[in-house]
mmCIF file of all heavy atoms in Angstrom:
data_model
loop_
_atom_site.group_PDB
_atom_site.id
_atom_site.type_symbol
_atom_site.label_atom_id
_atom_site.label_comp_id
_atom_site.label_asym_id
_atom_site.label_seq_id
_atom_site.Cartn_x
_atom_site.Cartn_y
_atom_site.Cartn_z
ATOM 1 N N LEU C 1 -11.819 -10.773 -2.707
ATOM 2 C CA LEU C 1 -10.714 -9.972 -3.355
ATOM 3 C C LEU C 1 -10.511 -8.722 -2.545
ATOM 4 O O LEU C 1 -9.329 -8.382 -2.300
ATOM 5 C CB LEU C 1 -11.037 -9.602 -4.734
ATOM 6 C CG LEU C 1 -9.922 -8.788 -5.520
ATOM 7 C CD1 LEU C 1 -8.558 -9.554 -5.490
ATOM 8 C CD2 LEU C 1 -10.421 -8.506 -7.020
ATOM 9 N N ILE C 2 -11.526 -8.041 -2.082
ATOM 10 C CA ILE C 2 -11.423 -6.837 -1.249
ATOM 11 C C ILE C 2 -10.586 -7.176 -0.003
ATOM 12 O O ILE C 2 -9.725 -6.362 0.498
ATOM 13 C CB ILE C 2 -12.673 -6.202 -0.948
ATOM 14 C CG1 ILE C 2 -13.186 -5.561 -2.243
ATOM 15 C CG2 ILE C 2 -12.581 -5.144 0.139
ATOM 16 C CD1 ILE C 2 -14.594 -4.945 -2.115
ATOM 17 N N ASP C 3 -10.918 -8.333 0.604
ATOM 18 C CA ASP C 3 -10.182 -8.722 1.888
ATOM 19 C C ASP C 3 -8.618 -8.993 1.595
ATOM 20 O O ASP C 3 -7.779 -8.546 2.312
ATOM 21 C CB ASP C 3 -10.780 -9.986 2.455
ATOM 22 C CG ASP C 3 -12.097 -9.770 3.130
ATOM 23 O OD1 ASP C 3 -12.435 -8.529 3.414
ATOM 24 O OD2 ASP C 3 -12.808 -10.765 3.324
ATOM 25 N N GLU C 4 -8.409 -9.565 0.445
ATOM 26 C CA GLU C 4 -6.940 -9.783 0.005
ATOM 27 C C GLU C 4 -6.280 -8.527 -0.288
ATOM 28 O O GLU C 4 -5.077 -8.304 0.055
ATOM 29 C CB GLU C 4 -6.876 -10.753 -1.088
ATOM 30 C CG GLU C 4 -7.314 -12.190 -0.721
ATOM 31 C CD GLU C 4 -7.183 -13.223 -1.855
ATOM 32 O OE1 GLU C 4 -6.828 -12.766 -2.939
ATOM 33 O OE2 GLU C 4 -7.178 -14.421 -1.576
ATOM 34 N N ILE C 5 -7.002 -7.665 -0.945
ATOM 35 C CA ILE C 5 -6.441 -6.357 -1.280
ATOM 36 C C ILE C 5 -6.117 -5.546 -0.040
ATOM 37 O O ILE C 5 -4.946 -4.928 0.079
ATOM 38 C CB ILE C 5 -7.423 -5.459 -2.051
ATOM 39 C CG1 ILE C 5 -7.506 -6.042 -3.607
ATOM 40 C CG2 ILE C 5 -6.962 -4.026 -2.202
ATOM 41 C CD1 ILE C 5 -8.584 -5.445 -4.398
ATOM 42 N N ALA C 6 -6.966 -5.672 1.027
ATOM 43 C CA ALA C 6 -6.675 -4.984 2.208
ATOM 44 C C ALA C 6 -5.427 -5.445 2.955
ATOM 45 O O ALA C 6 -4.625 -4.829 3.596
ATOM 46 C CB ALA C 6 -7.885 -5.075 3.140
ATOM 47 N N GLU C 7 -5.262 -6.879 2.790
ATOM 48 C CA GLU C 7 -4.047 -7.470 3.407
ATOM 49 C C GLU C 7 -2.815 -6.992 2.845
ATOM 50 O O GLU C 7 -1.825 -6.604 3.455
ATOM 51 C CB GLU C 7 -4.204 -8.916 3.297
ATOM 52 C CG GLU C 7 -2.957 -9.715 3.892
ATOM 53 C CD GLU C 7 -3.038 -11.238 3.714
ATOM 54 O OE1 GLU C 7 -4.102 -11.732 3.207
ATOM 55 O OE2 GLU C 7 -2.139 -11.943 4.154
ATOM 56 N N TYR C 8 -2.784 -6.907 1.412
ATOM 57 C CA TYR C 8 -1.564 -6.420 0.738
ATOM 58 C C TYR C 8 -1.344 -4.914 1.031
ATOM 59 O O TYR C 8 -0.208 -4.412 1.141
ATOM 60 C CB TYR C 8 -1.694 -6.654 -0.755
ATOM 61 C CG TYR C 8 -1.355 -8.107 -1.146
ATOM 62 C CD1 TYR C 8 -2.232 -9.115 -1.184
ATOM 63 C CD2 TYR C 8 -0.046 -8.399 -1.502
ATOM 64 C CE1 TYR C 8 -1.960 -10.418 -1.520
ATOM 65 C CE2 TYR C 8 0.294 -9.729 -1.930
ATOM 66 C CZ TYR C 8 -0.624 -10.674 -1.872
ATOM 67 O OH TYR C 8 -0.336 -11.941 -2.311
ATOM 68 N N ARG C 9 -2.483 -4.191 1.085
ATOM 69 C CA ARG C 9 -2.325 -2.797 1.345
ATOM 70 C C ARG C 9 -1.688 -2.590 2.725
ATOM 71 O O ARG C 9 -0.751 -1.697 2.878
ATOM 72 C CB ARG C 9 -3.673 -2.071 1.385
ATOM 73 C CG ARG C 9 -3.739 -0.645 1.741
ATOM 74 C CD ARG C 9 -5.115 -0.206 2.167
ATOM 75 N NE ARG C 9 -5.553 -0.996 3.306
ATOM 76 C CZ ARG C 9 -6.929 -1.121 3.704
ATOM 77 N NH1 ARG C 9 -7.845 -0.531 3.006
ATOM 78 N NH2 ARG C 9 -7.189 -1.850 4.754
ATOM 79 N N ASP C 10 -2.189 -3.300 3.738
ATOM 80 C CA ASP C 10 -1.677 -2.982 5.111
ATOM 81 C C ASP C 10 -0.248 -3.474 5.199
ATOM 82 O O ASP C 10 0.609 -2.854 5.912
ATOM 83 C CB ASP C 10 -2.513 -3.806 6.063
ATOM 84 C CG ASP C 10 -3.997 -3.237 6.147
ATOM 85 O OD1 ASP C 10 -4.182 -2.110 5.738
ATOM 86 O OD2 ASP C 10 -4.840 -3.980 6.636
ATOM 87 N N LYS C 11 0.154 -4.543 4.563
ATOM 88 C CA LYS C 11 1.552 -4.986 4.657
ATOM 89 C C LYS C 11 2.508 -4.086 3.870
ATOM 90 O O LYS C 11 3.661 -3.845 4.307
ATOM 91 C CB LYS C 11 1.707 -6.425 4.246
ATOM 92 C CG LYS C 11 0.991 -7.447 5.195
ATOM 93 C CD LYS C 11 1.229 -8.894 4.894
ATOM 94 C CE LYS C 11 0.577 -9.826 5.879
ATOM 95 N NZ LYS C 11 0.756 -11.250 5.626
ATOM 96 N N TRP C 12 2.015 -3.617 2.736
ATOM 97 C CA TRP C 12 2.800 -2.624 1.995
ATOM 98 C C TRP C 12 2.982 -1.308 2.911
ATOM 99 O O TRP C 12 4.051 -0.693 2.907
ATOM 100 C CB TRP C 12 2.184 -2.247 0.619
ATOM 101 C CG TRP C 12 2.802 -1.106 0.005
ATOM 102 C CD1 TRP C 12 4.121 -1.046 -0.526
ATOM 103 C CD2 TRP C 12 2.228 0.210 -0.037
ATOM 104 N NE1 TRP C 12 4.299 0.189 -0.972
ATOM 105 C CE2 TRP C 12 3.271 1.027 -0.773
ATOM 106 C CE3 TRP C 12 1.070 0.810 0.312
ATOM 107 C CZ2 TRP C 12 3.061 2.331 -1.047
ATOM 108 C CZ3 TRP C 12 0.817 2.124 0.021
ATOM 109 C CH2 TRP C 12 1.854 2.901 -0.584
ATOM 110 N N LEU C 13 1.873 -0.840 3.492
ATOM 111 C CA LEU C 13 1.912 0.390 4.292
ATOM 112 C C LEU C 13 2.920 0.293 5.443
ATOM 113 O O LEU C 13 3.344 1.305 5.964
ATOM 114 C CB LEU C 13 0.556 0.711 4.776
ATOM 115 C CG LEU C 13 -0.459 1.224 3.848
ATOM 116 C CD1 LEU C 13 -1.847 1.355 4.500
ATOM 117 C CD2 LEU C 13 -0.017 2.633 3.393
ATOM 118 N N ALA C 14 3.338 -0.911 5.826
ATOM 119 C CA ALA C 14 4.429 -0.995 6.847
ATOM 120 C C ALA C 14 5.721 -0.411 6.416
ATOM 121 O O ALA C 14 6.593 -0.097 7.147
ATOM 122 C CB ALA C 14 4.622 -2.427 7.300
ATOM 123 N N TYR C 15 5.932 -0.276 5.095
ATOM 124 C CA TYR C 15 7.110 0.365 4.536
ATOM 125 C C TYR C 15 6.963 1.886 4.237
ATOM 126 O O TYR C 15 7.956 2.501 3.834
ATOM 127 C CB TYR C 15 7.454 -0.320 3.226
ATOM 128 C CG TYR C 15 7.751 -1.833 3.300
ATOM 129 C CD1 TYR C 15 6.740 -2.820 3.228
ATOM 130 C CD2 TYR C 15 9.142 -2.212 3.402
ATOM 131 C CE1 TYR C 15 7.118 -4.129 3.314
ATOM 132 C CE2 TYR C 15 9.390 -3.522 3.491
ATOM 133 C CZ TYR C 15 8.379 -4.541 3.465
ATOM 134 O OH TYR C 15 8.652 -5.811 3.549
ATOM 135 N N VAL C 16 5.819 2.407 4.525
ATOM 136 C CA VAL C 16 5.549 3.800 4.233
ATOM 137 C C VAL C 16 5.629 4.669 5.401
ATOM 138 O O VAL C 16 5.029 4.304 6.460
ATOM 139 C CB VAL C 16 4.111 3.914 3.563
ATOM 140 C CG1 VAL C 16 3.820 5.341 3.151
ATOM 141 C CG2 VAL C 16 4.029 3.036 2.342
ATOM 142 N N ASP C 17 6.260 5.819 5.279
ATOM 143 C CA ASP C 17 6.388 6.707 6.454
ATOM 144 C C ASP C 17 5.077 7.379 6.734
ATOM 145 O O ASP C 17 4.188 7.444 5.964
ATOM 146 C CB ASP C 17 7.312 7.908 6.024
ATOM 147 C CG ASP C 17 8.891 7.411 5.901
ATOM 148 O OD1 ASP C 17 9.143 6.355 6.391
ATOM 149 O OD2 ASP C 17 9.649 8.176 5.313
ATOM 150 N N ASP C 18 4.946 7.753 8.027
ATOM 151 C CA ASP C 18 3.785 8.363 8.551
ATOM 152 C C ASP C 18 3.382 9.609 7.772
ATOM 153 O O ASP C 18 2.188 9.851 7.564
ATOM 154 C CB ASP C 18 3.872 8.619 10.003
ATOM 155 C CG ASP C 18 3.926 7.375 10.986
ATOM 156 O OD1 ASP C 18 3.474 6.356 10.479
ATOM 157 O OD2 ASP C 18 4.497 7.499 12.046
ATOM 158 N N LYS C 19 4.397 10.408 7.487
ATOM 159 C CA LYS C 19 4.093 11.585 6.722
ATOM 160 C C LYS C 19 3.519 11.377 5.368
ATOM 161 O O LYS C 19 2.530 11.979 4.951
ATOM 162 C CB LYS C 19 5.405 12.514 6.584
ATOM 163 C CG LYS C 19 5.124 13.821 5.932
ATOM 164 C CD LYS C 19 6.414 14.577 5.896
ATOM 165 C CE LYS C 19 6.148 15.988 5.355
ATOM 166 N NZ LYS C 19 7.431 16.787 5.248
ATOM 167 N N ALA C 20 4.022 10.343 4.714
ATOM 168 C CA ALA C 20 3.471 9.921 3.352
ATOM 169 C C ALA C 20 2.146 9.473 3.563
ATOM 170 O O ALA C 20 1.234 9.708 2.687
ATOM 171 C CB ALA C 20 4.396 8.861 2.756
ATOM 172 N N LYS C 21 1.808 8.632 4.551
ATOM 173 C CA LYS C 21 0.476 8.086 4.793
ATOM 174 C C LYS C 21 -0.533 9.239 4.964
ATOM 175 O O LYS C 21 -1.626 9.217 4.495
ATOM 176 C CB LYS C 21 0.457 7.136 6.033
ATOM 177 C CG LYS C 21 1.201 5.861 5.877
ATOM 178 C CD LYS C 21 1.277 5.102 7.151
ATOM 179 C CE LYS C 21 2.130 3.847 7.096
ATOM 180 N NZ LYS C 21 2.156 3.167 8.405
ATOM 181 N N THR C 22 -0.022 10.299 5.661
ATOM 182 C CA THR C 22 -0.942 11.334 6.042
ATOM 183 C C THR C 22 -1.230 12.280 4.894
ATOM 184 O O THR C 22 -2.392 12.703 4.673
ATOM 185 C CB THR C 22 -0.435 12.119 7.209
ATOM 186 O OG1 THR C 22 -0.215 11.240 8.362
ATOM 187 C CG2 THR C 22 -1.360 13.218 7.744
ATOM 188 N N TYR C 23 -0.180 12.655 4.218
ATOM 189 C CA TYR C 23 -0.378 13.705 3.178
ATOM 190 C C TYR C 23 -0.273 13.261 1.688
ATOM 191 O O TYR C 23 -0.724 14.032 0.882
ATOM 192 C CB TYR C 23 0.757 14.808 3.447
ATOM 193 C CG TYR C 23 0.696 15.372 4.797
ATOM 194 C CD1 TYR C 23 1.602 15.058 5.777
ATOM 195 C CD2 TYR C 23 -0.360 16.333 5.138
ATOM 196 C CE1 TYR C 23 1.606 15.672 7.056
ATOM 197 C CE2 TYR C 23 -0.384 16.940 6.450
ATOM 198 C CZ TYR C 23 0.631 16.594 7.303
ATOM 199 O OH TYR C 23 0.511 17.136 8.566
ATOM 200 N N TRP C 24 0.344 12.219 1.434
ATOM 201 C CA TRP C 24 0.583 11.916 0.006
ATOM 202 C C TRP C 24 -0.100 10.629 -0.549
ATOM 203 O O TRP C 24 0.273 10.081 -1.575
ATOM 204 C CB TRP C 24 2.071 11.744 -0.168
ATOM 205 C CG TRP C 24 2.829 12.972 0.247
ATOM 206 C CD1 TRP C 24 2.461 14.274 0.079
ATOM 207 C CD2 TRP C 24 4.189 12.999 0.924
ATOM 208 N NE1 TRP C 24 3.404 15.162 0.659
ATOM 209 C CE2 TRP C 24 4.427 14.453 1.045
ATOM 210 C CE3 TRP C 24 5.146 12.131 1.287
ATOM 211 C CZ2 TRP C 24 5.571 14.841 1.660
ATOM 212 C CZ3 TRP C 24 6.205 12.543 1.827
ATOM 213 C CH2 TRP C 24 6.517 13.896 2.029
ATOM 214 N N LEU C 25 -1.056 10.067 0.177
ATOM 215 C CA LEU C 25 -1.674 8.838 -0.250
ATOM 216 C C LEU C 25 -3.252 8.985 -0.224
ATOM 217 O O LEU C 25 -3.916 8.416 0.598
ATOM 218 C CB LEU C 25 -1.333 7.693 0.725
ATOM 219 C CG LEU C 25 -0.002 6.949 0.457
ATOM 220 C CD1 LEU C 25 0.241 5.823 1.427
ATOM 221 C CD2 LEU C 25 0.098 6.535 -0.982
ATOM 222 N N PRO C 26 -3.709 9.732 -1.309
ATOM 223 C CA PRO C 26 -5.200 9.652 -1.498
ATOM 224 C C PRO C 26 -5.530 8.235 -1.910
ATOM 225 O O PRO C 26 -4.709 7.438 -2.342
ATOM 226 C CB PRO C 26 -5.400 10.689 -2.507
ATOM 227 C CG PRO C 26 -4.116 10.752 -3.300
ATOM 228 C CD PRO C 26 -2.964 10.493 -2.266
ATOM 229 N N PRO C 27 -6.914 7.951 -1.866
ATOM 230 C CA PRO C 27 -7.279 6.597 -2.219
ATOM 231 C C PRO C 27 -6.751 6.114 -3.582
ATOM 232 O O PRO C 27 -6.368 4.917 -3.783
ATOM 233 C CB PRO C 27 -8.813 6.643 -2.211
ATOM 234 C CG PRO C 27 -9.091 7.800 -1.249
ATOM 235 C CD PRO C 27 -8.020 8.779 -1.446
ATOM 236 N N THR C 28 -6.721 6.997 -4.596
ATOM 237 C CA THR C 28 -6.210 6.608 -5.961
ATOM 238 C C THR C 28 -4.759 6.206 -5.903
ATOM 239 O O THR C 28 -4.442 5.135 -6.523
ATOM 240 C CB THR C 28 -6.401 7.811 -6.897
ATOM 241 O OG1 THR C 28 -5.941 8.947 -6.349
ATOM 242 C CG2 THR C 28 -7.939 8.029 -7.164
ATOM 243 N N ARG C 29 -3.937 6.992 -5.314
ATOM 244 C CA ARG C 29 -2.515 6.634 -5.285
ATOM 245 C C ARG C 29 -2.241 5.386 -4.417
ATOM 246 O O ARG C 29 -1.442 4.574 -4.714
ATOM 247 C CB ARG C 29 -1.710 7.803 -4.713
ATOM 248 C CG ARG C 29 -0.182 7.571 -4.775
ATOM 249 C CD ARG C 29 0.551 8.904 -4.575
ATOM 250 N NE ARG C 29 0.117 9.916 -5.568
ATOM 251 C CZ ARG C 29 -0.236 11.089 -5.280
ATOM 252 N NH1 ARG C 29 -0.392 11.536 -4.073
ATOM 253 N NH2 ARG C 29 -0.602 12.038 -6.327
ATOM 254 N N LYS C 30 -2.969 5.322 -3.355
ATOM 255 C CA LYS C 30 -2.914 4.113 -2.510
ATOM 256 C C LYS C 30 -3.330 2.892 -3.271
ATOM 257 O O LYS C 30 -2.663 1.830 -3.100
ATOM 258 C CB LYS C 30 -3.684 4.301 -1.198
ATOM 259 C CG LYS C 30 -3.486 3.188 -0.171
ATOM 260 C CD LYS C 30 -4.486 3.280 0.979
ATOM 261 C CE LYS C 30 -4.318 4.663 1.733
ATOM 262 N NZ LYS C 30 -5.226 4.810 2.860
ATOM 263 N N ALA C 31 -4.406 3.052 -4.036
ATOM 264 C CA ALA C 31 -4.800 1.848 -4.839
ATOM 265 C C ALA C 31 -3.781 1.441 -5.905
ATOM 266 O O ALA C 31 -3.531 0.251 -6.137
ATOM 267 C CB ALA C 31 -6.064 2.199 -5.530
ATOM 268 N N ALA C 32 -3.084 2.462 -6.489
ATOM 269 C CA ALA C 32 -2.031 2.155 -7.499
ATOM 270 C C ALA C 32 -0.902 1.372 -6.881
ATOM 271 O O ALA C 32 -0.423 0.346 -7.369
ATOM 272 C CB ALA C 32 -1.573 3.480 -8.132
ATOM 273 N N TYR C 33 -0.426 1.803 -5.733
ATOM 274 C CA TYR C 33 0.680 1.095 -4.962
ATOM 275 C C TYR C 33 0.241 -0.237 -4.502
ATOM 276 O O TYR C 33 1.031 -1.223 -4.619
ATOM 277 C CB TYR C 33 1.206 1.965 -3.906
ATOM 278 C CG TYR C 33 2.217 3.022 -4.239
ATOM 279 C CD1 TYR C 33 1.823 4.312 -4.598
ATOM 280 C CD2 TYR C 33 3.613 2.710 -4.284
ATOM 281 C CE1 TYR C 33 2.788 5.320 -4.946
ATOM 282 C CE2 TYR C 33 4.522 3.679 -4.606
ATOM 283 C CZ TYR C 33 4.154 4.948 -5.020
ATOM 284 O OH TYR C 33 5.079 5.860 -5.359
ATOM 285 N N THR C 34 -0.995 -0.332 -4.053
ATOM 286 C CA THR C 34 -1.578 -1.615 -3.590
ATOM 287 C C THR C 34 -1.536 -2.650 -4.731
ATOM 288 O O THR C 34 -1.344 -3.792 -4.576
ATOM 289 C CB THR C 34 -2.820 -1.419 -2.909
ATOM 290 O OG1 THR C 34 -2.726 -0.577 -1.829
ATOM 291 C CG2 THR C 34 -3.429 -2.797 -2.393
ATOM 292 N N SER C 35 -1.979 -2.121 -5.936
ATOM 293 C CA SER C 35 -2.005 -2.998 -7.128
ATOM 294 C C SER C 35 -0.672 -3.492 -7.467
ATOM 295 O O SER C 35 -0.580 -4.666 -7.762
ATOM 296 C CB SER C 35 -2.642 -2.270 -8.294
ATOM 297 O OG SER C 35 -2.633 -2.944 -9.454
ATOM 298 N N LEU C 36 0.288 -2.645 -7.366
ATOM 299 C CA LEU C 36 1.677 -3.080 -7.559
ATOM 300 C C LEU C 36 2.138 -4.164 -6.617
ATOM 301 O O LEU C 36 2.687 -5.214 -6.898
ATOM 302 C CB LEU C 36 2.701 -1.893 -7.495
ATOM 303 C CG LEU C 36 4.154 -2.274 -7.544
ATOM 304 C CD1 LEU C 36 4.486 -2.767 -8.961
ATOM 305 C CD2 LEU C 36 5.076 -0.962 -7.232
ATOM 306 N N ALA C 37 1.799 -3.923 -5.332
ATOM 307 C CA ALA C 37 2.084 -4.893 -4.210
ATOM 308 C C ALA C 37 1.349 -6.211 -4.446
ATOM 309 O O ALA C 37 1.921 -7.321 -4.149
ATOM 310 C CB ALA C 37 1.654 -4.280 -2.845
ATOM 311 N N PHE C 38 0.156 -6.121 -4.873
ATOM 312 C CA PHE C 38 -0.661 -7.360 -5.141
ATOM 313 C C PHE C 38 -0.015 -8.203 -6.226
ATOM 314 O O PHE C 38 -0.103 -9.433 -6.252
ATOM 315 C CB PHE C 38 -2.146 -6.952 -5.545
ATOM 316 C CG PHE C 38 -3.149 -8.061 -5.426
ATOM 317 C CD1 PHE C 38 -3.766 -8.315 -4.292
ATOM 318 C CD2 PHE C 38 -3.335 -8.888 -6.496
ATOM 319 C CE1 PHE C 38 -4.693 -9.357 -4.238
ATOM 320 C CE2 PHE C 38 -4.244 -9.866 -6.490
ATOM 321 C CZ PHE C 38 -4.956 -10.056 -5.336
ATOM 322 N N ASN C 39 0.574 -7.519 -7.184
ATOM 323 C CA ASN C 39 1.148 -8.154 -8.352
ATOM 324 C C ASN C 39 2.606 -8.722 -8.086
ATOM 325 O O ASN C 39 2.919 -9.830 -8.607
ATOM 326 C CB ASN C 39 1.167 -7.258 -9.516
ATOM 327 C CG ASN C 39 1.556 -7.911 -10.848
ATOM 328 O OD1 ASN C 39 2.168 -7.286 -11.664
ATOM 329 N ND2 ASN C 39 1.158 -9.156 -11.028
ATOM 330 N N VAL C 40 3.417 -7.907 -7.366
ATOM 331 C CA VAL C 40 4.827 -8.279 -7.242
ATOM 332 C C VAL C 40 5.199 -8.722 -5.775
ATOM 333 O O VAL C 40 6.327 -9.079 -5.511
ATOM 334 C CB VAL C 40 5.733 -7.129 -7.634
ATOM 335 C CG1 VAL C 40 5.359 -6.585 -9.023
ATOM 336 C CG2 VAL C 40 5.728 -5.945 -6.646
ATOM 337 N N GLY C 41 4.152 -8.611 -4.861
ATOM 338 C CA GLY C 41 4.404 -8.812 -3.504
ATOM 339 C C GLY C 41 4.763 -7.615 -2.676
ATOM 340 O O GLY C 41 5.335 -6.676 -3.132
ATOM 341 N N TRP C 42 4.286 -7.595 -1.482
ATOM 342 C CA TRP C 42 4.450 -6.363 -0.550
ATOM 343 C C TRP C 42 5.881 -6.076 -0.319
ATOM 344 O O TRP C 42 6.215 -4.919 -0.194
ATOM 345 C CB TRP C 42 3.533 -6.517 0.681
ATOM 346 C CG TRP C 42 3.900 -7.606 1.509
ATOM 347 C CD1 TRP C 42 4.953 -7.838 2.351
ATOM 348 C CD2 TRP C 42 3.020 -8.832 1.697
ATOM 349 N NE1 TRP C 42 4.958 -9.023 3.020
ATOM 350 C CE2 TRP C 42 3.718 -9.687 2.608
ATOM 351 C CE3 TRP C 42 1.877 -9.221 1.081
ATOM 352 C CZ2 TRP C 42 3.179 -10.907 3.062
ATOM 353 C CZ3 TRP C 42 1.335 -10.405 1.550
ATOM 354 C CH2 TRP C 42 1.978 -11.249 2.405
ATOM 355 N N HIS C 43 6.758 -7.101 -0.225
ATOM 356 C CA HIS C 43 8.134 -6.805 0.073
ATOM 357 C C HIS C 43 8.776 -6.103 -1.142
ATOM 358 O O HIS C 43 9.457 -5.075 -1.006
ATOM 359 C CB HIS C 43 8.900 -8.035 0.358
ATOM 360 C CG HIS C 43 10.413 -7.882 0.532
ATOM 361 N ND1 HIS C 43 10.943 -7.307 1.652
ATOM 362 C CD2 HIS C 43 11.393 -8.159 -0.327
ATOM 363 C CE1 HIS C 43 12.236 -7.287 1.494
ATOM 364 N NE2 HIS C 43 12.564 -7.786 0.354
ATOM 365 N N GLY C 44 8.509 -6.611 -2.325
ATOM 366 C CA GLY C 44 9.008 -6.086 -3.589
ATOM 367 C C GLY C 44 8.575 -4.575 -3.719
ATOM 368 O O GLY C 44 9.390 -3.679 -4.083
ATOM 369 N N ALA C 45 7.327 -4.357 -3.523
ATOM 370 C CA ALA C 45 6.763 -2.987 -3.632
ATOM 371 C C ALA C 45 7.351 -2.086 -2.622
ATOM 372 O O ALA C 45 7.591 -0.983 -2.762
ATOM 373 C CB ALA C 45 5.275 -3.003 -3.670
ATOM 374 N N GLY C 46 7.368 -2.708 -1.308
ATOM 375 C CA GLY C 46 7.718 -1.819 -0.166
ATOM 376 C C GLY C 46 9.190 -1.357 -0.231
ATOM 377 O O GLY C 46 9.509 -0.356 0.233
#
């Protein structure tokens, strides 16, 4: 599951700006968005 989560996280992050990745994505927030991507697909979340 952790491997699959990492795949959805990385593909969702392709839609996220560098500034947001650097300053606005602590592990908790990144996990929340990744959970959305895992459920609805990285394209839908992205």
Side-chain angles (χ1 to χ4, degrees):
L1 181 57
I2 287 176
D3 285 344
E4 291 185 349
I5 289 172
E7 179 182 359
Y8 278 87
R9 175 201 61 199
D10 293 343
K11 291 186 175 180
W12 168 72
L13 282 173
Y15 296 88
V16 181
D17 290 346
D18 291 337
K19 185 176 181 180
K21 293 176 186 177
T22 303
Y23 299 106
W24 303 326
L25 275 183
T28 49
R29 187 166 300 128
K30 188 186 299 181
Y33 275 92
T34 301
S35 177
L36 176 67
F38 196 89
N39 188 218
V40 308
W42 56 76
H43 175 75

